[in-house]
Amino acid sequence: MGKTLTKADIVDSIYEKSDRNRAEVKAQVESLLEIMKQSVKKDHALLVSGFGKFEAYDKRARKGRNPQTNQAITLPPRKVVVFRLSRKFRAELNPQ
Amino acid sequence: MNKSELIKTLAEKNDIHVDEAALVVNTFFDSIKDSLIKEERVEIRGFGSFKLKDYGGYTGRNPKTGEVVQVSPKKLPFFRPGKELKEYVNK
């Protein structure tokens, strides 16, 4: 896989269509990411139609061990974020 | 939260028109989609990264009817949450 799309590339694409300067567009993108993070945390879900859904779900505490020392430890409960693909986007990725 | 709420919140927080916020949000997700369709990797620092994975086809079975079905190969994006996002939801 060759190229990687980064935040700077996204800022550029928005900048081309916007009346703002690059620094302002960058601030808007950072603000958007902040809102997205808050939404995933607070609502446990962020639904973007035509794209997919980011979901946070709870994982229970489980027993693990330190692979280096072999010591048994209890891993605390935590939240994990997963992405579920929208049907529309899935179809776009797999045209038939 | 859904996309229109995302646009509304972005507009309010930055004191901009909803049309401008919609341009930001739509271009953001469209850029990611376009790159993934071109099989490029996507990395959004602080949030996460996307990578397209190839899944081979296989002969499966409909578990309800027992009928043999051919599952064709497919490409699906795989999302890895970034460090900041992982820490943020656990704070």
Side-chain angles (χ1 to χ4, degrees), chain A residues 18-64:
Chain A
S18 165
D19 302 327
R20 306 273 176 188
N21 66 41
R22 221 183 223 96
E24 287 171 324
V25 174
K26 173 97 173 30
Q28 290 177 339
V29 170
E30 293 296 347
S31 171
L32 170 63
L33 288 167
E34 200 53 42
I35 297 164
M36 286 169 64
K37 282 198 284 185
Q38 281 169 8
S39 168
V40 171
K41 183 183 167 115
K42 200 169 57 99
D43 316 332
H44 294 251
L46 169 65
L47 179 75
V48 185
S49 56
F51 186 77
K53 190 164 138 190
F54 295 95
E55 269 180 2
Y57 73 92
D58 290 301
K59 276 209 154 170
R60 267 181 293 177
R62 64 182 176 90
K63 286 200 175 70

Side-chain angles (χ1 to χ4, degrees), chain B residues 47-66:
Chain B
F47 191 77
S49 62
F50 293 91
K51 203 169 128 181
L52 213 56
K53 277 194 179 175
D54 276 306
Y55 294 87
Y58 58 93
T59 311
R61 227 172 242 283
N62 180 333
K64 246 192 202 141
T65 61

Side-chain angles (χ1 to χ4, degrees), chain A:
Chain A
M1 226 185 262
K3 203 187 164 292
T4 298
L5 182 86
T6 63
K7 212 190 282 174
D9 298 319
I10 297 175
V11 170
D12 282 345
S13 317
I14 299 167
Y15 171 70
E16 280 166 28
K17 299 183 206 164
S18 165
D19 302 327
R20 306 273 176 188
N21 66 41
R22 221 183 223 96
E24 287 171 324
V25 174
K26 173 97 173 30
Q28 290 177 339
V29 170
E30 293 296 347
S31 171
L32 170 63
L33 288 167
E34 200 53 42
I35 297 164
M36 286 169 64
K37 282 198 284 185
Q38 281 169 8
S39 168
V40 171
K41 183 183 167 115
K42 200 169 57 99
D43 316 332
H44 294 251
L46 169 65
L47 179 75
V48 185
S49 56
F51 186 77
K53 190 164 138 190
F54 295 95
E55 269 180 2
Y57 73 92
D58 290 301
K59 276 209 154 170
R60 267 181 293 177
R62 64 182 176 90
K63 286 200 175 70
R65 69 189 174 85
N66 182 332
Q68 234 160 54
T69 62
N70 247 341
Q71 196 178 24
I73 44 172
T74 307
L75 295 167
R78 63 196 170 100
K79 287 193 173 68
V80 291
V81 180
V82 292
F83 174 69
R84 298 195 197 285
L85 187 66
S86 97
R87 276 179 189 278
K88 184 167 170 275
F89 189 14
R90 184 192 161 116
E92 284 166 2
L93 286 166
N94 299 280
Q96 207 121 74

Side-chain angles (χ1 to χ4, degrees), chain B residues 11-30:
Chain B
E12 282 166 8
K13 282 211 171 169
N14 293 272
D15 205 13
I16 56 174
H17 195 274
V18 279
D19 290 348
E20 190 180 355
L23 175 89
V24 172
V25 172
N26 287 322
T27 311
F28 180 87
F29 290 109
D30 288 346

Side-chain angles (χ1 to χ4, degrees), chain B residues 1-90:
Chain B
M1 203 181 240
N2 60 29
K3 198 162 87 173
S4 55
E5 288 165 330
L6 197 60
I7 291 168
K8 207 172 136 255
T9 311
L10 184 70
E12 282 166 8
K13 282 211 171 169
N14 293 272
D15 205 13
I16 56 174
H17 195 274
V18 279
D19 290 348
E20 190 180 355
L23 175 89
V24 172
V25 172
N26 287 322
T27 311
F28 180 87
F29 290 109
D30 288 346
S31 309
I32 297 176
K33 273 178 80 164
D34 290 346
S35 284
L36 287 171
I37 289 169
K38 285 188 275 180
E39 302 200 25
E40 291 172 359
R41 224 179 80 87
V42 177
E43 190 179 317
I44 315 293
R45 272 292 148 85
F47 191 77
S49 62
F50 293 91
K51 203 169 128 181
L52 213 56
K53 277 194 179 175
D54 276 306
Y55 294 87
Y58 58 93
T59 311
R61 227 172 242 283
N62 180 333
K64 246 192 202 141
T65 61
E67 197 185 346
V68 176
V69 284
Q70 201 58 45
V71 180
S72 42
K74 58 192 170 236
K75 294 186 177 109
L76 300 175
F78 178 74
F79 174 70
R80 258 192 88 199
K83 191 164 172 274
E84 248 183 74
L85 178 61
K86 273 194 212 166
E87 286 170 0
Y88 186 83
V89 294
N90 281 293

